[in-house]
Amino acid sequence: MTTTTSGSAGHEARPYLRLATEEAWAPPELFDVYRTLLASKAVDPGFESLMEYFLRSNHPQPRSVIDKLADLGPQRIADMDATGIDRQILGLTAPGTQVLDKDTAHGIA
């Protein structure tokens, strides 16, 4: 049997790759559209409450979440390496495009 070595520094060699499924991601453009939607005040109260917290707060915790969701580069790879993840299956974070008008949703998707 051939042993697959994790790309993660400090993690043992193992005969499999470690996959993280259902990992959230969002392009920065989606957050821009969310901000525009919030400014319009024509939004669902649940969406407004959640996204106001994450997109308009100056607190480090929600800022970190937004930064990590939008990152597909060095920070995401460093987080994967730190936790022994070899691959991720990315999915658009909720609420995705469901809260957008048809044309905007189609463009983002």
Side-chain angles (χ1 to χ4, degrees), residues 1-7 12-18 86-87:
M1 172 187 275
T2 303
T3 301
T4 302
T5 303
S6 168
E12 73 286 349
R14 52 186 179 258
Y16 58 87
L17 292 175
R18 194 163 176 213
D86 297 296
R87 305 282 189 280

Side-chain angles (χ1 to χ4, degrees), residues 88-103:
Q88 287 185 342
I89 299 172
L90 300 176
L92 189 61
T93 193
T97 59
Q98 291 86 334
V99 297
L100 307 176
D101 65 82
K102 177 182 158 191
D103 292 335

Side-chain angles (χ1 to χ4, degrees), residues 67-68 71-81:
D67 292 345
K68 286 179 183 244
D71 181 64
L72 289 179
Q75 184 58 53
R76 187 175 290 262
I77 299 301
D79 290 344
M80 290 170 62
D81 287 347

Side-chain angles (χ1 to χ4, degrees), residues 49-70:
S49 175
L50 180 67
M51 288 301 143
E52 283 278 347
Y53 174 69
F54 282 100
L55 295 176
R56 295 203 172 148
S57 175
N58 290 322
H59 190 275
Q61 192 274 339
R63 293 298 332 136
S64 174
V65 169
I66 294 301
D67 292 345
K68 286 179 183 244
L69 282 172

Side-chain angles (χ1 to χ4, degrees), residues 33-51:
V33 172
Y34 285 173
R35 286 181 185 94
T36 300
L37 189 58
L38 287 170
S40 77
K41 296 296 184 184
V43 296
D44 174 83
F47 173 83
E48 182 176 24
S49 175
L50 180 67
M51 288 301 143

